[in-house]
Amino acid sequence: MKIVIQRASEASVTINNVRVAEINQGLVILLGIEDADTDDDIKWLSSKIVNLRIFSDENEVMNCSVKDVNADIILVSQFTLHASTKKGNRPSYIKASKPDFAIPMYEKFIHQLEVDLEKKIQTGQFGADMKVALINDGPVTIVIDSKNRE
């Protein structure tokens, strides 16, 4: 699994001109799933997200987690995170999982994140054409691949 985390002062997801998710302070997380991903990847990434210290403390040092500051999360599926651009100019998405595998993994990830964060998160809609808007706070953007843990 690959994720892109963006710390946001506000964010939203719109589908067909309907706002389906909206937060103030929090994280926007783009999630890419591949066939090699497992429940262990879900648990590891969820724990990493919830405990990652990327919010400022009282001394303006990034020392607090999303959980510490009671911030919100929007999770958006993003198969293009597995794009290969090695050959030619048209990205290949062959590593990205097909919906029959990816949707259950996406739903498990949502559940695990809610358990670890101890509150409901907001999401986009798997496979939909979404408009994701955010004000990146910092800016802080972090990329994590569960296959590169060590």
Side-chain angles (χ1 to χ4, degrees):
M1 290 185 159
K2 287 184 184 179
I3 59 171
V4 174
I5 300 172
Q6 296 178 86
R7 188 179 75 183
S9 56
E10 61 183 75
S12 65
V13 177
T14 303
I15 302 171
N16 296 325
N17 296 318
V18 175
R19 188 161 286 174
V20 297
E22 184 173 25
I23 64 170
N24 288 314
Q25 178 188 34
L27 301 176
V28 175
I29 301 171
L30 307 176
L31 170 68
I33 299 167
E34 64 180 326
D35 290 344
D37 293 330
T38 66
D39 289 350
D40 187 49
D41 292 302
I42 290 171
K43 289 176 185 167
W44 183 83
L45 268 178
S46 179
S47 177
K48 181 63 82 172
I49 290 165
V50 169
N51 294 298
L52 199 61
R53 299 183 323 181
I54 59 174
F55 289 90
S56 296
D57 64 15
E58 64 278 354
N59 298 315
E60 296 303 314
V61 175
M62 285 197 289
N63 202 27
C64 296
S65 70
V66 66
K67 197 170 185 177
D68 294 334
V69 299
N70 196 31
D72 293 309
I73 292 177
I74 294 178
L75 179 69
V76 176
S77 62
Q78 179 87 35
F79 77 93
T80 61
L81 290 179
H82 287 290
S84 173
T85 57
K86 289 182 181 180
K87 293 171 45 179
N89 293 317
R90 182 174 183 202
S92 168
Y93 303 106
I94 197 156
K95 281 189 74 177
S97 290
K98 302 288 185 260
D100 61 327
F101 179 80
I103 291 172
M105 292 297 281
Y106 175 68
E107 290 170 352
K108 285 181 185 178
F109 196 91
I110 292 166
H111 176 74
Q112 186 66 53
L113 204 49
E114 289 177 340
V115 167
D116 291 344
L117 190 60
E118 298 177 347
K119 72 178 188 178
K120 188 144 180 67
I121 65 163
Q122 297 188 52
T123 66
Q125 179 183 333
F126 189 94
D129 181 13
M130 295 174 271
K131 307 302 182 216
V132 179
L134 70 122
I135 296 177
N136 191 320
D137 182 21
V140 174
T141 302
I142 297 172
V143 179
I144 303 174
D145 186 332
S146 66
K147 303 301 187 235
N148 295 329
R149 296 183 206 188
E150 295 155 32

